[in-house]
Amino acid sequence: MKGARVKPLMAPRSRSQVCCIIRISTSIVLWTAILQLVILWQVWGPQLLSLLPPCFASPDSFSIVELDSPIAETAAKFIPPPRRVYKNNGYLMVSCNGGLNQMRAAICDMVTIARVLNVTLIVPELDKSSFWADPSEFKDIFDVDHFISSLRDEVRILKKLPLKLKPKAEQGAVFSMRPVSWSNMSYYLHQILPLIKRHKVLHLTKTDARLANNGLPVEIQKLRCRVNYNALRFTSQIEELAHKILKILRRHGPFLVLHLRYEMDMLAFSGCTLGCSDEEAEELTRLRNAYPWWKEKVINAEMRRKDGLCPLTPEETALVLKAFDFNRDIRIYIAAGEIYGGERRMAALYSDYPYIVRKETLLNSLDLKPFERYSSQMAALDYLVALATDVFIPTYDGNMAKVVEGHRRFLGFHRTILLNRTHLVELIDRYHNGSLVWEEFSLAVKNVHADRMGAPRSRLAIPDKPKDEDYFYANPEECLASEFDGRHGYA
């Protein structure tokens, strides 16, 4: 009806009713937010706690890729820790030298040094001029994004120098030096840090063995372990191919990995020529003379062998395996490059152990084709297989032997037979000259190695002779769970 008053659909609320509604709504929102936070903490809290800096973490909190599960599943579970905020004192560039495991240990040291100095680390440059001439970059071997993100609560790591500093590096104006070997942290704090603050960017070369084995705070030692056993994850391509090798090996039951370091570079470097022809001995001498940084040129091969400084020959290795009573039907995986002397030198080993395999015999050519020209990537495959084997036996205590030994200790003191070459060559010579019968020889070999099977033990420290000490990466004692009366350390 025209002019009639329209009746409102709802009666106007009183002021008290409006306030009541607001209070109820606010309470609902707050309780919903609290509930969501509780749920998030239940899901992510334990994982965030496990990523605390290593000075608060136990060895059990370190994660490691399980080779019996797909790499993709492991990668999906990784949650980056929160970033560490600190005043940046400058930038550290490093150039690693040597083979894969020599560089691996150096990377661990350089991350630790960058952490203590509060500097930004540039992703390390790998050696391309050594005997192997491997052109691989860091990202070709290691998962570089995981490396950076997994350590971001400790140190800032960049793939490249910031743009404002790049011209300085491109013009060769960056201050470069070789740090002193086996140095403690006071050297880096009092001599290296002032150089970084002065020059803004410092380039360290020859980074192997530049940090002391002993006498460092436990949190520093644990950080070295965290880098080695957590941050340095191989690329998915390397991990997946190693997983394939392991699946093939496991079909036949337990297997043994033999790091047979009877390779051309090692023989030339060490001057060990037992069993070599005159032509081969001359070739090895020429190679040794060709590398200026291999300081020792004139070498008495027989004396070197008696001092235990030569890798065991394939023939000697066959005798030792038999003395340990390894069944001839066991699968033996050779973790090494090309054996010097080829089939001729391997004949005795093949005769005693016919089921000897290598990655080249287990995989087809298409599987290995992407890795063929890259010795460090091939070594990474051997590294992963050696970690997972039932028994690991290195015939020489080089970098791979030491780093794998330490990694296997970290994983639970897995069986690693550390050959005492000084005693072995003496026993082998006595067996050959008839002064020991086989039963005596075999028993003596076992007795010599009764306490050299990778069980817990203290790392030898010699304050005045760091080169003669036990290597930290072979026995990272501070990072290992004690098995003696719940105490830290070992009897």
Side-chain angles (χ1 to χ4, degrees):
M1 181 184 297
K2 188 175 179 180
R5 183 177 296 174
V6 179
K7 187 177 180 179
L9 294 176
M10 295 181 64
R13 293 187 178 93
S14 67
R15 185 172 180 180
S16 62
Q17 287 177 316
V18 172
C19 291
C20 182
I21 291 171
I22 292 173
R23 282 198 300 270
I24 293 171
S25 300
T26 303
S27 298
I28 291 172
V29 171
L30 286 173
W31 279 109
T32 302
I34 291 170
L35 181 62
Q36 291 293 328
L37 287 172
V38 170
I39 293 171
L40 283 171
W41 178 252
Q42 289 175 340
V43 174
W44 301 115
Q47 296 186 47
L48 291 172
L49 285 174
S50 70
L51 292 166
L52 283 170
C55 54
F56 299 106
S58 68
D60 293 338
S61 70
F62 296 122
S63 65
I64 185 168
V65 172
E66 294 290 340
L67 290 173
D68 291 333
S69 63
I71 181 66
E73 293 180 12
T74 305
K77 295 175 184 176
F78 175 73
I79 307 296
R83 295 182 189 276
R84 175 171 171 254
V85 179
Y86 60 95
K87 181 182 177 182
N88 182 34
N89 287 322
Y91 297 84
L92 180 64
M93 301 173 66
V94 298
S95 293
C96 301
N97 58 296
L100 173 66
N101 293 287
Q102 189 171 332
M103 293 191 291
R104 184 186 183 103
I107 292 166
C108 298
D109 287 352
M110 292 300 115
V111 170
T112 304
I113 289 163
R115 166 64 175 83
V116 173
L117 301 186
N118 286 339
V119 298
T120 297
L121 178 69
I122 308 304
V123 168
E125 179 185 23
L126 304 187
D127 192 340
K128 299 176 180 60
S129 60
S130 63
F131 171 83
W132 303 276
D134 186 337
S136 296
E137 302 287 351
F138 187 100
K139 63 182 176 60
D140 300 321
I141 300 173
F142 300 108
D143 183 337
V144 66
D145 292 323
H146 175 77
F147 176 70
I148 293 171
S149 61
S150 67
L151 292 168
R152 68 181 192 171
D153 60 325
E154 292 287 1
V155 62
R156 184 185 181 212
I157 304 174
L158 301 178
K159 294 180 181 179
K160 296 179 180 178
L161 276 173
L163 287 175
K164 63 181 181 181
L165 295 173
K166 280 185 86 174
K168 190 174 184 179
E170 291 168 353
Q171 295 164 12
V174 172
F175 186 80
S176 183
M177 63 173 289
R178 180 187 303 186
V180 176
S181 299
W182 311 114
S183 298
N184 58 29
M185 276 303 171
S186 64
Y187 165 77
Y188 287 97
L189 285 167
H190 298 134
Q191 297 192 45
I192 299 300
L193 182 57
L195 291 173
I196 296 176
K197 288 182 174 180
R198 185 187 314 159
H199 298 283
K200 303 302 180 188
V201 183
L202 180 66
H203 177 213
L204 296 183
T205 63
K206 297 286 184 182
T207 53
D208 64 316
R210 304 297 149 169
L211 191 56
N213 289 310
N214 300 295
L216 299 176
V218 171
E219 60 269 20
I220 288 177
Q221 301 289 52
K222 286 192 172 184
L223 179 54
R224 294 165 97 177
C225 292
R226 181 178 169 187
V227 181
N228 198 15
Y229 307 131
N230 175 277
L232 284 178
R233 175 194 290 173
F234 291 118
T235 64
S236 59
Q237 292 86 350
I238 291 172
E239 297 271 8
E240 287 163 5
L241 193 54
H243 179 65
K244 184 172 183 178
I245 294 171
L246 287 168
K247 283 183 69 176
I248 296 171
L249 286 167
R250 289 289 183 208
R251 289 173 191 163
H252 304 284
F255 69 97
L256 180 156
V257 167
L258 185 65
H259 183 43
L260 190 60
R261 195 66 170 91
Y262 202 77
E263 299 159 299
M264 188 178 189
D265 66 300
M266 175 50 64
L267 299 180
F269 173 77
S270 62
C272 299
T273 56
L274 180 67
C276 295
S277 66
D278 292 340
E279 292 77 12
E280 288 172 335
E282 290 176 7
E283 181 181 40
L284 294 173
T285 301
R286 287 196 299 272
L287 178 60
R288 182 164 65 252
N289 290 330
Y291 287 87
W293 52 89
W294 291 357
K295 301 291 178 62
E296 199 172 359
K297 302 300 182 185
V298 179
I299 296 175
N300 183 325
E302 186 59 33
M303 187 63 68
R304 183 64 62 94
R305 176 177 175 269
K306 287 185 177 180
D307 289 340
L309 300 176
C310 288
L312 292 188
T313 68
E315 297 89 348
E316 291 171 333
T317 302
L319 273 177
V320 171
L321 293 179
K322 288 170 64 180
F324 280 122
D325 296 331
F326 283 107
N327 192 295
R328 70 180 268 110
D329 293 331
I330 192 171
R331 260 60 182 180
I332 297 178
Y333 178 92
I334 302 292
E338 185 177 351
I339 303 303
Y340 193 63
E343 295 297 316
R344 176 180 69 84
R345 296 308 302 271
M346 289 292 289
L349 197 51
Y350 281 130
S351 176
D352 290 327
Y353 293 94
Y355 301 106
I356 290 178
V357 297
R358 307 169 60 97
K359 51 188 172 294
E360 292 85 356
T361 60
L362 293 175
L363 302 172
N364 62 53
S365 57
L366 290 178
D367 285 329
L368 281 175
K369 191 170 182 61
F371 306 94
E372 283 176 349
R373 293 178 49 248
Y374 308 101
S375 61
S376 289
Q377 295 179 51
M378 295 285 265
L381 292 171
D382 286 343
Y383 184 96
L384 289 172
V385 177
L387 281 190
T389 186
D390 299 280
V391 185
F392 176 60
I393 305 179
T395 62
Y396 186 78
D397 55 353
N399 288 293
M400 176 169 174
K402 291 175 179 176
V403 177
V404 170
E405 175 196 345
H407 204 150
R408 286 173 64 82
R409 286 178 180 276
F410 181 83
L411 293 175
F413 303 102
H414 294 174
R415 193 179 181 198
T416 301
I417 302 181
L418 306 170
L419 300 179
N420 186 324
R421 292 184 307 279
T422 305
H423 281 80
L424 278 177
V425 296
E426 178 188 354
L427 292 172
I428 289 169
D429 289 346
R430 289 179 62 193
Y431 172 68
H432 283 315
N433 67 27
S435 63
L436 280 180
V437 299
W438 176 257
E439 290 75 15
E440 293 171 326
F441 171 73
S442 179
L443 181 61
V445 169
K446 291 169 188 169
N447 288 339
V448 165
H449 295 90
D451 61 349
R452 297 175 65 89
M453 298 286 180
R457 62 175 174 81
S458 293
R459 190 173 64 243
L460 176 66
I462 309 175
D464 298 327
K465 296 182 178 180
K467 291 184 180 180
D468 298 328
E469 293 180 323
D470 285 347
Y471 190 41
F472 171 80
Y473 292 102
N475 185 13
E477 185 180 346
E478 296 86 342
C479 309
L480 308 180
S482 174
E483 292 193 352
F484 296 97
D485 304 324
R487 294 172 297 161
H488 177 75
Y490 307 94

